[in-house]
Amino acid sequence: MSAWNAEQYEGRHSYVWQFGGSLVELLQPRSGERILDLGCGTGQLTAEIAASGAQVVGLDGSPEMLGQARQNYPNLKFVLADAASFRFEESFDAVFSNAALHWVKNAEAAVQSIAAALRPGGRFIAEFGGKGNIRLILAALETVLGATAEERCPWWFPGIGEYASLLEQHGLEVRQASLFDRPTPIEGERGMEDWIEMFCGTYFRDLDANGAKEKVRELAAHLRQELFRDGVWILDYRRLRVVAVAVG
Ligand code: BEZ
């Protein structure tokens, strides 16, 4: 994945962690617990978890995001590591992850790392893009960019069965799983263009800046009829939310 623009992420995409608040409620962090925030981005939910008195470690694979997280929350601990290959010496009471795991195409390796990080009885609470996520945006990418779009897709959006099986294969007992639409409003008339510029860089890697801008405009024009309603862009997000426990 290309480098993240942490400033733009924080400025225009705050819905990413604002929606994550309810996942923190599901986590129910307790004082003294050791919790890993996997894919912590710029650290807002890491801080929300830390407010409970838990000892949190935020982990992210992007140096730009972590740099911003450290600047935002200098008293919290952040670690640069890959979600598909991280290891810690000391185990965690819980692994938490919001809006990150759909970026990890080697999902099995990520689940292995998560399972290895948890103590027996430790919980895994995660939400990310599930099967059918951004269906209209993916279709527009294919229409505008042609056959290469599919191979450039940087995401994996599993269904419940697929993901629950993967967790079970690695010793995580699935206690809850749901797949639900979560239409997500974004700010501004240019909201869709901002979103595409922020997250879809891999699709434009062979184009120069002007060529990419042109494609971004074309994509937004394509999506306008279905995703721009009453003056607001609404992303067609669908989330997979899981709660699982490590069986020891
Ligand atoms: C998501 O949170 O569903 C998402 C974010 C960026 C790109 C694709 C999906």
Side-chain angles (χ1 to χ4, degrees):
M1 192 170 59
S2 53
W4 284 93
N5 182 334
E7 200 181 315
Q8 200 176 92
Y9 177 80
E10 278 206 311
R12 302 211 191 117
H13 304 276
S14 58
Y15 54 86
V16 175
W17 61 86
Q18 280 162 3
F19 273 107
S22 71
L23 197 65
V24 177
E25 281 168 29
L26 193 62
L27 170 69
Q28 292 192 313
R30 289 184 292 272
S31 182
E33 279 193 317
R34 240 175 85 75
I35 297 180
L36 178 65
D37 180 6
L38 179 57
C40 64
T42 47
Q44 281 76 10
L45 293 179
T46 321
E48 204 170 312
I49 296 167
S52 68
Q55 296 168 38
V56 199
V57 178
L59 179 155
D60 207 281
S62 156
E64 295 82 12
M65 290 290 193
L66 271 198
Q68 189 62 45
R70 288 187 175 119
Q71 206 173 308
N72 290 343
Y73 307 105
N75 297 327
L76 297 184
K77 181 170 178 188
F78 293 100
V79 172
L80 180 67
D82 183 342
S85 60
F86 70 88
R87 289 291 182 274
F88 286 89
E89 277 181 13
E90 207 182 325
S91 63
F92 288 90
D93 297 297
V95 174
F96 170 92
S97 184
N98 177 60
L101 288 171
H102 51 253
W103 290 100
V104 187
K105 282 209 148 171
N106 191 348
E108 178 151 30
V111 170
Q112 275 167 346
S113 292
I114 292 161
L118 285 168
R119 67 160 171 80
R123 54 209 196 279
F124 173 48
I125 312 285
E127 184 178 305
F128 54 101
K131 197 172 188 65
N133 194 39
I134 57 167
R135 183 180 60 80
L136 295 169
I137 297 175
L138 290 175
L141 283 161
E142 232 174 288
T143 304
V144 170
L145 301 170
T148 57
E150 202 179 328
E151 76 210 28
R152 289 172 184 219
C153 174
W155 311 300
W156 181 65
F157 301 131
I160 290 180
E162 198 178 0
Y163 200 63
S165 302
L166 197 56
L167 294 178
E168 284 168 3
Q169 279 159 30
H170 294 282
L172 293 164
E173 187 175 81
V174 179
R175 300 281 176 88
Q176 282 179 40
S178 53
L179 182 67
F180 56 96
D181 287 328
R182 208 210 46 214
T184 300
I186 48 178
E187 274 175 36
E189 175 91 28
R190 262 192 52 86
M192 181 55 78
E193 287 173 57
D194 289 342
W195 188 92
I196 295 168
E197 279 170 5
M198 178 79 212
F199 295 115
C200 300
T202 53
Y203 289 93
F204 311 118
R205 61 182 175 223
D206 299 336
L207 300 174
D208 62 18
N210 283 338
K213 258 200 162 44
E214 186 51 42
K215 291 292 179 199
V216 170
R217 262 200 297 270
E218 220 180 300
L219 281 159
H222 230 85
L223 288 162
R224 197 172 175 93
Q225 192 177 348
E226 292 199 81
L227 297 183
F228 192 67
R229 284 173 227 142
D230 302 322
V232 180
W233 282 102
I234 314 266
L235 298 166
D236 55 340
Y237 276 7
R238 179 178 281 178
R239 311 325 271 170
L240 177 61
R241 182 177 271 207
V242 295
V243 174
V245 172
V247 286

